[in-house]
Amino acid sequence: MERILEAKKRILSQSNPRSKWGNNNLDNDDNSSPTYKDKGLPVGDINDREPTETPDGTVLYPSKVRYDTGVLPKDMPFLHHIRHDEKPKPKFKNPRKRASKLLHQLQVEKVEESKKSKPEVWDVPFKVGDAIQLEVLDDGGVDNPNNNPLDVIRGVVLGRENKGLDTSIYLKDVLYGEHVERKIKLHSPMVKSLKVLEEGFVNRGKKKGRRVKRAKLYYLRDRKPEETKVTKIDSNGRLYF
């Protein structure tokens, strides 16, 4: 009741430009506006109201909502200022869009399963502009029954796309003087592990330690090969970092 009285005082205040009642006081019997009493409605204690019977024999019971709140009818307009402790209602699912909602739910479940099954990939934090190394299985099946060696892919992360199961990254490297750019899907079962070789690889030299401020580094496609060259070649023609 204290909160209701506070809400009434705030709404009926003269300083409130949106006051509907102006200087009128709802508790005053001289109010010019029609009251519940003038309309023949009960204004006493709600708990004392008894059901009534119509001439045709129908029994009319008092409003259960007002009975549960325990508030007088004249105070009902101020109930919207009180927070109810009821649990929020679940979001309505339109049956006409059921197929798309089910597909989205299945994709979310598959994404969670993929992240739990490959901690070597998803538990390694990396950002755009870092030099990373991926171990990818080229052929022979997902479980690698022939024990084929894993291919090592290195490059600078140019960008990342978060699209559920199609989450992928763009890697750029320079091999034998040629620009090589790959788009690799992280949820692919062929990707086995991920390793960060150097953080902030694109900010070297005088810019070392600076934070990369862009989400996509596509402008590196037109830069010199030395700026995105991650893999090096020794005298024997072997690739290393």
Side-chain angles (χ1 to χ4, degrees):
M1 292 300 295
E2 295 180 358
R3 289 189 292 176
I4 295 179
L5 295 176
E6 182 181 356
K8 291 171 62 176
K9 182 179 179 181
R10 185 176 302 177
I11 293 179
L12 299 178
S13 176
Q14 297 180 0
S15 60
N16 187 5
R18 301 181 60 184
S19 177
K20 179 179 178 182
W21 303 93
N23 298 330
N24 296 332
N25 189 355
L26 294 183
D27 297 332
N28 189 1
D29 296 337
D30 299 334
N31 187 6
S32 58
S33 60
T35 61
Y36 284 92
K37 185 176 181 180
D38 299 335
K39 295 182 180 180
L41 298 176
V43 295
D45 191 0
I46 300 177
N47 299 333
D48 297 339
R49 293 187 298 168
E50 298 293 338
T52 59
E53 185 176 354
T54 59
D56 58 355
T58 304
V59 179
L60 301 179
Y61 295 93
S63 174
K64 294 183 179 180
V65 178
R66 294 182 179 179
Y67 181 83
D68 293 339
T69 56
V71 181
L72 296 177
K74 63 179 181 180
D75 294 332
M76 295 302 292
F78 303 96
L79 279 180
H80 63 279
H81 290 275
I82 302 178
R83 296 183 180 179
H84 299 280
D85 296 332
E86 299 178 358
K87 295 182 180 180
K89 296 181 180 179
K91 186 177 180 181
F92 174 72
K93 296 182 179 181
N94 193 341
R96 297 182 180 180
K97 301 179 181 179
R98 185 178 181 184
S100 60
K101 292 182 181 296
L102 291 176
L103 179 60
H104 174 71
Q105 184 178 358
L106 291 175
Q107 288 182 349
V108 171
E109 294 177 357
K110 289 298 181 181
V111 168
E112 293 179 356
E113 292 179 2
S114 177
K115 290 183 177 181
K116 292 180 180 179
S117 62
K118 293 196 301 182
E120 299 84 1
V121 177
W122 295 103
D123 291 349
V124 180
F126 66 93
K127 302 183 297 295
V128 175
D130 296 348
I132 66 173
Q133 172 181 305
L134 294 174
E135 290 184 350
V136 182
L137 183 62
D138 189 11
D139 56 1
V142 177
D143 297 332
N144 195 12
N146 299 327
N147 294 326
N148 295 330
L150 300 177
D151 293 340
V152 178
I153 299 176
R154 301 186 183 95
V156 180
V157 182
L158 298 184
R160 176 170 179 168
E161 291 183 354
N162 296 320
K163 295 182 178 180
L165 289 175
D166 293 333
T167 298
S168 57
I169 57 175
Y170 291 92
L171 290 183
K172 186 179 183 303
D173 197 3
V174 178
L175 298 176
Y176 302 100
E178 296 292 336
H179 295 270
V180 179
E181 185 173 338
R182 302 180 178 92
K183 182 180 180 181
I184 302 176
K185 295 186 177 182
L186 298 180
H187 284 288
S188 173
M190 310 299 285
V191 179
K192 300 300 182 181
S193 66
L194 187 149
K195 178 182 178 182
V196 178
L197 300 177
E198 183 177 349
E199 296 182 358
F201 182 83
V202 295
N203 290 336
R204 293 176 295 171
K206 296 181 180 180
K207 299 181 180 180
K208 187 175 182 181
R210 292 187 182 180
R211 181 175 60 89
V212 179
K213 298 181 181 181
R214 295 192 181 185
K216 300 293 188 296
L217 305 181
Y218 296 149
Y219 64 90
L220 294 177
R221 295 171 177 172
D222 301 330
R223 296 296 181 90
K224 296 180 180 180
E226 291 79 9
E227 296 187 14
T228 57
K229 185 177 181 180
V230 179
T231 304
K232 302 177 182 179
I233 304 176
D234 57 9
S235 59
N236 297 328
R238 298 179 182 178
L239 305 179
Y240 69 98
F241 173 73

